[in-house]
Amino acid sequence: MRQGRIIGRTVLFLLAAVFAIGFLMPTVLTVTNSFMTQSEIDANYGMIFESARPGGTTYVGDSVNLKFIPDRVSFSQYETVLFRSPEYLLKFWNSIRLVIPIVILQVGIASFAAYSFTRYQGKLKNVLFFFYIILMLMPYQVTVVPNFIVADWLGILNTRWAIIFPGAFAPFSVFLLTKFMRRIPASLIEAAKLDGANEWQVFTKICLPQCRSALYSIAILVFIDYWNMVELPIILLPDADTQPLSVYLATINAGEVGIAFAVAVIYMIPPLLLFLHGEEALVEGIMHSGSVKG
């Protein structure tokens, strides 16, 4: 029996290793290829982009060659992105200006809403929370047209506020944080009330500190979600100068493949650092948020 357990664990380990390698391969390929010269990229991926280029036969490659180690390490792609083409850094800054306000506003608004759903009882509260769940289950494509109409009516179309306002009131954070706040013992809040604490003090001194891991996990998930958004900026930000870097990566053309590798590596750094810094809080927040039924 012990031998069978060892074999089973070995098989599971090998399967996990295969899946891990499969998931990591595109990322590793992107990082290593960003240090290749443009001519080497042309030779390796000629067949993929041959039909997309003017003339159709610009590339010299006859087959696709997934290559992980460059023949010669080159920083020319990064030099182009960081020093010679400021439009890439401008789009990176556009992404920061869009995502950071959304994260701050959504976490703040969700905190107040979740506290209200947790503290106050009644049929109206249950109905509102039910509609929050329904909105959360809807695909975001359903709300694109209403967002466009409202943004046009408010006169904020083609400005970053057309993205920030809908993002600030997204229902997912309210749902997740409400489930977490309901884990706080009622006796703890009652003790604070007996000591003379008002609702604001209960909210700021009791609830928010208890929800630190949930707030961190929500911030990470919201950041990653809006950091990778593509469709909304294309529709609500028609001007290319106001669009984030994610739109550029989604519309890369065949002549800029090498630059796209370098831009993709730079673009991965902020969410990767955020995830590595708050990995434990992210796991704890998601795990505890679903442990109590609302």
Side-chain angles (χ1 to χ4, degrees):
M1 184 176 294
R2 182 180 179 182
Q3 185 177 4
R5 287 200 300 266
I6 294 175
I7 295 175
R9 291 178 181 177
T10 303
V11 171
L12 290 176
F13 174 80
L14 293 176
L15 287 175
V18 170
F19 281 112
I21 292 173
F23 283 121
L24 289 175
M25 186 177 296
T27 302
V28 175
L29 193 68
T30 300
V31 174
T32 56
N33 282 203
S34 67
F35 294 100
M36 291 183 180
T37 61
Q38 185 61 46
S39 59
E40 187 175 359
I41 292 175
D42 293 349
N44 291 333
Y45 307 108
M47 290 298 295
I48 297 178
F49 301 102
E50 186 175 15
S51 59
R53 290 179 62 88
T57 57
T58 304
Y59 281 106
V60 297
D62 296 327
S63 61
V64 177
N65 179 26
L66 295 179
K67 195 172 183 180
F68 288 91
I69 301 177
D71 292 335
R72 182 173 64 88
V73 175
S74 173
F75 294 92
S76 59
Q77 313 293 358
Y78 290 98
E79 182 181 356
T80 301
V81 171
L82 297 176
F83 302 107
R84 296 183 180 178
S85 300
E87 63 269 19
Y88 300 116
L89 294 181
L90 174 63
K91 292 182 181 297
F92 185 89
W93 175 243
N94 288 341
S95 298
I96 296 293
R97 294 176 65 192
L98 285 173
V99 176
I100 297 300
I102 289 176
V103 172
I104 295 174
L105 289 174
Q106 188 174 143
V107 171
I109 293 172
S111 299
F112 287 107
Y115 181 75
S116 300
F117 282 128
T118 303
R119 290 283 291 142
Y120 300 106
Q121 304 297 324
K123 294 182 179 179
L124 180 59
K125 183 211 73 170
N126 295 329
V127 172
L128 287 176
F129 193 69
F130 174 77
F131 278 109
Y132 258 91
I133 296 176
I134 295 299
L135 289 174
M136 186 183 67
L137 295 177
M138 285 185 179
Y140 69 90
Q141 291 87 350
V142 174
T143 61
V144 169
V145 174
N147 286 340
F148 181 89
I149 295 174
V150 172
D152 187 39
W153 179 71
L154 293 175
I156 59 175
L157 193 64
N158 202 29
T159 67
R160 60 193 180 102
W161 297 108
I163 303 292
I164 293 175
F165 280 156
F169 297 94
F172 172 74
S173 299
V174 178
F175 171 79
L176 197 65
L177 195 55
T178 300
K179 300 292 288 185
F180 197 93
M181 279 191 180
R182 287 176 178 173
R183 296 181 61 253
I184 300 175
S187 58
L188 187 63
I189 297 177
E190 292 174 0
K193 298 288 285 186
L194 290 175
D195 289 338
N198 55 34
E199 289 295 337
W200 177 252
Q201 290 173 328
V202 171
F203 174 65
T204 57
K205 304 295 184 181
I206 303 297
C207 289
L208 289 185
Q210 293 289 325
C211 297
R212 187 177 292 108
S213 61
L215 293 171
Y216 210 126
S217 63
I218 289 171
I220 294 174
L221 293 174
V222 172
F223 183 92
I224 293 175
D225 185 26
Y226 284 91
W227 187 255
N228 297 318
M229 61 181 172
V230 175
E231 291 84 354
L232 282 179
I234 291 176
I235 297 173
L236 301 178
L237 299 175
D239 187 359
D241 291 336
T242 61
Q243 292 176 347
L245 193 56
S246 54
V247 175
Y248 162 75
L249 290 175
T251 58
I252 187 67
N253 61 64
E256 299 176 314
V257 179
I259 293 177
F261 281 130
V263 174
V265 172
I266 295 173
Y267 196 66
M268 286 189 293
I269 292 176
L272 182 61
L273 293 178
L274 186 63
F275 173 78
L276 293 176
H277 179 68
E279 180 182 1
E280 293 183 1
L282 176 63
V283 174
E284 181 183 355
I286 295 177
M287 179 179 64
H288 288 166
S289 295
S291 61
V292 177
K293 293 184 179 180

